[in-house]
Amino acid sequence: MSTSITGHSAIDDLPDPEGHGPHEGDRASTSRWGDRLFGGAAKASGLFVVLLVTLVGLFLIVQAVPSLLNNEANFLTSTEWIPSGAEPRFGIAALLWATVITSVIAMLIAVPLGVAVALFITEYAPSWLSKPAAVVIDLLAAVPSIVFGFWGLTIAGQYFQPVQDFLAGTFGFIPFFKDSGFSAKSTLAFAGIILAFMILPIITAISREVFNQVPTPHKEGALALGATKWEMIRTAVLPFGKPGVISGAMLGLGRALGETLAVMILLSTLNPSAPWSFSIFNGGETFASKIALNAGEFDSPQKTGAYIAAGLVLFILTFIVNSIARVVINRRKAFSE
């Protein structure tokens, strides 16, 4: 086998044992190196996020435990909030109720409305209308929460007053709708309505994207079998998009649970000696608004620890909500497979 003047041998032109050409082995090696680099970076990013969440949880626990050990009241069931003094007494019952009820009201309004808007955009609206409608809904997510708060306080609240008067007058015998004497724009019910507007873009956007991914043969097959438009949506679109709708709803719920400024602007704070009430037409404070309103009082480890303990409960509550959503989605995917 001869060698040229340049020292190039015919052997160099032969493929390697794996079937690669003269330089394909080098390219494959470089590609594998890039894959390993990308995989390592992705793994490191995931571990960093897990580590960060773990450190946040540990910080909250370490800061809250000393105050909880000095607490003279039941932290989970007490409605008192006196975190200072020689015998501090504080509990989260009222904060938990206000946080949960405003979020539930927001979800009851935003989820059906968001799904309906997503279905209209993907299934009913003509092309010249669907895109502008989607853009307008998405723009709501760019509105700062403080704008929603002032809008509700100065404009929208007056229109909710007749609704509150009607519900309190008709169903006032039910503790849930009892009139507590607060203006309609400063109650838990109206705060929940404003939160619904704030989480609507999240739920609508995710639901819309999922509905757009429904395989066309599924929809055409249902229509070919004689299904009406609604029957096609009920049998083909909604079952396929259910995991996405749940994901969007849980993301919206997480936003509602942690919203601060809008709730802080709207809700009327209660007197510490005020009696307990289940009414949605009552005032109150959520975890986030309570911490934000009293941030200037973090002048001692005991008081700071009390508010951090409230923040820890909100952290755990949000974590549980997202965990439940993940379990539901995974089970739905396993069932569909």
Side-chain angles (χ1 to χ4, degrees), residues 123 219 222-223 227-237:
E123 302 296 335
K219 298 190 289 186
L223 294 173
T228 62
K229 187 79 169 181
W230 165 242
E231 289 173 338
M232 180 272 292
I233 292 173
R234 183 170 55 86
T235 58
V237 177

Side-chain angles (χ1 to χ4, degrees), residues 59-150:
F59 167 78
L60 294 174
I61 293 173
V62 170
Q63 295 292 320
V65 165
S67 296
L68 291 174
L69 293 177
N70 294 329
N71 188 15
E72 298 294 330
N74 189 306
F75 180 67
L76 297 178
T77 60
S78 175
T79 59
E80 297 180 273
W81 192 266
I82 309 174
S84 59
E87 297 182 353
R89 301 180 62 85
F90 56 91
I92 61 166
L95 300 178
L96 182 62
W97 168 253
T99 301
V100 171
I101 197 61
T102 53
S103 299
V104 169
I105 292 173
M107 294 292 289
L108 290 176
I109 298 173
V111 172
L113 184 59
V115 173
V117 172
L119 287 174
F120 170 75
I121 292 174
T122 57
E123 302 296 335
Y124 289 98
S127 58
W128 62 267
L129 178 60
S130 60
K131 291 183 179 179
V135 171
V136 170
I137 295 297
D138 291 343
L139 283 176
L140 286 176
V143 179
S145 58
I146 192 171
V147 174
F148 278 106
F150 281 121

Side-chain angles (χ1 to χ4, degrees), residues 100-118 137 140 148 151 156 160 163 167 176-177 184 187-204 207 245 248-249 252-253 256 266 280-281:
V100 171
I101 197 61
T102 53
S103 299
V104 169
I105 292 173
M107 294 292 289
L108 290 176
I109 298 173
V111 172
L113 184 59
V115 173
V117 172
I137 295 297
L140 286 176
F148 278 106
W151 172 71
F160 184 65
V163 178
L167 292 176
F176 198 66
F177 296 103
T187 62
L188 297 173
F190 187 67
I193 293 174
I194 296 300
L195 287 178
F197 285 103
M198 298 177 67
I199 67 177
L200 180 63
I202 301 174
I203 299 173
T204 303
S207 300
V245 173
L253 179 57
L266 291 171
I280 60 174
F281 301 138

Side-chain angles (χ1 to χ4, degrees), residues 289-308:
S289 66
K290 181 73 172 180
I291 296 171
L293 278 172
N294 298 275
E297 298 184 9
F298 296 176
D299 52 5
S300 67
Q302 172 61 40
K303 294 175 68 174
T304 303
Y307 288 100
I308 289 179

